[in-house]
Amino acid sequence: MKNAAELYGKSLYELSREEGLDQRILSEMRTVGKLFSENPDYIRLLSEPSLPKLERLSLLDKAFRGSVEPYFLNFLKLLVERGLLSSYNGAERTFKNAYNRDHGILEATVFSAVALTEEERRELLSRLRERSGKEVELTEKLDSSLLGGLLVEIDGKRLDGTVSGRLSAIRKKLDEYVL
């Protein structure tokens, strides 16, 4: 299923980029992906083989016609017709990765013990943009196991500014010094 997700996500991205609809369809994919995750019964209904295919496609039309790009609606119908709706999240991820690559966007995840203030978020984004030279899309996650500070994952790297990370670095330097 992974290959199908990549193939369909990449194909939709290429088509939408050619048509100048990549940003809009990415937004619609996120919205529909959230809807699907909040309503797993709807996914099961659209994937139910005992329900005639035309009826399942009609459900998509009723739900999305006029509110999403026709290319995207046809993409959803194609997934339903081919029994690949379970690949939706992977296709969305492939689409998003291609979009980010073409638009110079890096995804970063920041872990903190408490929610960042707006000022802290702005400062972190500014530093990450300066360091990477790219636009940064930030996802925040709370981790109560952190004593304090931040742990940032960006572009396959971990930037550990947590209290425990700093203590480990000090411990390592002391071990090197003592040995």
Side-chain angles (χ1 to χ4, degrees):
M1 291 294 193
K2 179 183 174 196
N3 291 338
E6 289 176 3
L7 175 68
Y8 283 88
K10 182 179 177 187
S11 297
L12 179 62
Y13 177 73
E14 289 172 359
L15 173 66
S16 66
R17 185 186 68 217
E18 288 172 11
E19 296 294 324
L21 298 168
D22 51 343
Q23 185 175 10
R24 179 171 178 185
I25 289 179
L26 176 60
S27 175
E28 291 173 354
M29 287 187 89
R30 287 177 173 157
T31 301
V32 170
K34 186 176 180 187
L35 176 94
F36 284 168
S37 68
E38 292 171 353
N39 299 287
D41 290 339
Y42 188 61
I43 295 279
R44 280 192 286 280
L45 178 66
L46 292 173
S47 301
E48 180 55 50
S50 65
L51 191 63
K53 193 178 293 185
L54 289 176
E55 207 170 314
R56 289 182 275 151
L57 297 176
S58 174
L59 289 171
L60 282 172
D61 271 331
K62 288 176 186 171
F64 299 113
R65 184 171 297 284
S67 61
V68 299
E69 273 298 318
Y71 289 124
F72 181 51
L73 179 56
N74 288 337
F75 168 79
L76 292 172
K77 288 179 176 182
L78 192 60
L79 291 180
V80 168
E81 284 177 347
R82 304 239 167 122
L84 295 171
L85 198 55
S86 62
S87 297
Y88 181 83
N89 289 337
E92 179 184 0
R93 191 170 28 263
T94 298
F95 187 104
K96 183 179 180 186
N97 289 342
Y99 179 90
N100 287 351
R101 181 191 65 240
D102 286 355
H103 291 84
I105 299 171
L106 288 178
E107 291 184 30
T109 304
V110 60
F111 298 88
S112 61
V114 295
L116 298 177
T117 65
E118 191 58 40
E119 184 179 328
E120 290 169 330
R121 186 177 303 106
R122 265 194 311 274
E123 179 66 23
L124 177 60
L125 275 170
S126 174
R127 288 182 183 208
L128 292 173
R129 287 177 183 137
E130 183 179 303
R131 181 178 176 144
S132 68
K134 295 185 177 186
E135 185 61 34
V136 176
E137 189 176 283
L138 190 64
T139 301
E140 298 177 47
K141 295 190 177 182
L142 294 180
D143 183 347
S144 59
S145 71
L146 298 176
L147 299 174
L150 302 175
L151 174 65
V152 179
E153 294 178 348
I154 184 168
D155 202 23
K157 298 176 186 131
R158 293 183 77 154
L159 308 172
D160 192 348
T162 62
V163 171
S164 58
R166 290 177 184 166
L167 289 173
S168 291
I170 291 170
R171 191 175 305 116
K172 184 178 177 182
K173 289 219 183 257
L174 285 173
D175 287 344
E176 290 172 2
Y177 180 73
V178 172
L179 296 177

